[in-house]
Amino acid sequence: AQSVSQHNHHVILSEAASLELGCNYSYGGTVNLFWYVQYPGQHLQLLLKYFSGDPLVKGIKGFEAEFIKSKFSFNLRKPSVQWSDTAEYFCAVNAGPSGSARQLTFGSGTQLTVLP
Amino acid sequence: SQTIHQWPATLVQPVGSPLSLECTVEGTSNPNLYWYRQAAGRGLQLLFYSVGIGQISSEVPQNLSASRPQDRQFILSSKKLLLSDSGFYLCAWSVAGVPDTQYFGPGTRLTVL
């Protein structure tokens, strides 16, 4: 079965600092990878996703993530965070046989707090 | 555009009472539908998914059940709630096909007392 690890449970940064949130997954086959974000009081929403092609994926709000297959990683980055980036971030993996309702396996989440 | 609704937004129920949470999707046909539970510090756990009317797959044994009486309606139920059923329940949908991206509803906060 697939699993996802997010090793940073809570990250505190000052505005303008650079961000990197780690995500590692375990699954030997083809995977689709996602980062979701949940701002306080809001829906869980998609930040970016990787299906194939360029392993460096750009998402909304200046976020990007790099898929490194050899390391089973999909780390999230942002060069300069803002106070409004305070949120919980979830990495997720989607794997399974073609044609099935492919199930998302989520990491435990990382709470990012950006200090003004 | 597609939208997903969940109600109620919050619910407080006594132990042993029944439960019914509803999720509906608009703007798409034959979606895949999912129920997740989000526990603090533990991410999201998939409870049920459905690829069509009347087709339900359960991921974990539990006190809950799911039904899909209509194409765009997904219901989470329990006959008798347990304290451990407290949590934040999220419904999600995706377009049937490979690969698919899941889109989440606003969630229901359930507190069992």
Side-chain angles (χ1 to χ4, degrees), chain A:
Chain A
Q2 64 219 38
S3 64
V4 180
S5 297
Q6 290 181 246
H7 303 295
N8 308 106
H9 297 296
H10 195 179
V11 173
I12 302 174
L13 295 172
S14 298
E15 275 195 313
S18 64
L19 169 72
E20 182 161 1
L21 301 182
C23 173
N24 289 90
Y25 66 92
S26 64
Y27 184 74
T30 301
V31 294
N32 298 322
L33 298 156
F34 305 81
W35 276 96
Y36 284 85
V37 60
Q38 191 168 30
Y39 297 103
Q42 295 190 27
H43 294 204
L44 194 66
Q45 56 186 281
L46 184 66
L47 199 55
L48 49 79
K49 60 187 178 183
Y50 171 80
F51 288 164
S52 63
D54 189 345
L56 185 61
V57 179
K58 294 192 183 298
I60 61 172
K61 303 184 180 184
F63 286 90
E64 64 179 29
E66 185 175 14
F67 171 51
I68 303 179
K69 189 175 181 179
S70 61
K71 295 184 178 180
F72 297 88
S73 70
F74 190 55
N75 292 355
L76 181 71
R77 301 194 293 247
K78 185 171 183 178
S80 177
V81 295
Q82 300 172 314
W83 176 79
S84 58
D85 293 324
T86 295
E88 191 158 18
Y89 293 80
F90 294 93
C91 182
V93 170
N94 178 324
S98 300
S100 68
R102 296 174 62 156
Q103 301 138 51
L104 277 175
T105 299
F106 282 84
S108 57
T110 297
Q111 175 63 48
L112 172 65
T113 300
V114 180
L115 303 175

Side-chain angles (χ1 to χ4, degrees), chain B residues 57-107:
Chain B
S57 296
S58 174
E59 286 301 295
V60 292
Q62 59 200 305
N63 183 43
L64 302 168
S65 62
S67 61
R68 186 170 176 174
Q70 300 180 45
D71 182 44
R72 289 169 290 177
Q73 184 185 31
F74 205 25
I75 296 173
L76 185 68
S77 304
S78 174
K79 293 182 179 178
K80 288 186 177 181
L81 283 169
L82 305 172
L83 286 173
S84 58
D85 292 324
S86 293
F88 191 55
Y89 290 85
L90 288 166
C91 182
W93 72 274
S94 67
V95 175
V98 179
D100 52 11
T101 300
Q102 295 183 23
Y103 301 94
F104 287 81

Side-chain angles (χ1 to χ4, degrees), chain B residues 19-21 29 36 38 41 43 45 54 60 69 81 83 85 87 93 112:
Chain B
L19 173 74
S20 181
L21 303 181
S29 296
Y36 289 87
Q38 184 178 14
Q45 180 185 36
V60 292
L81 283 169
L83 286 173
D85 292 324
W93 72 274
V112 182

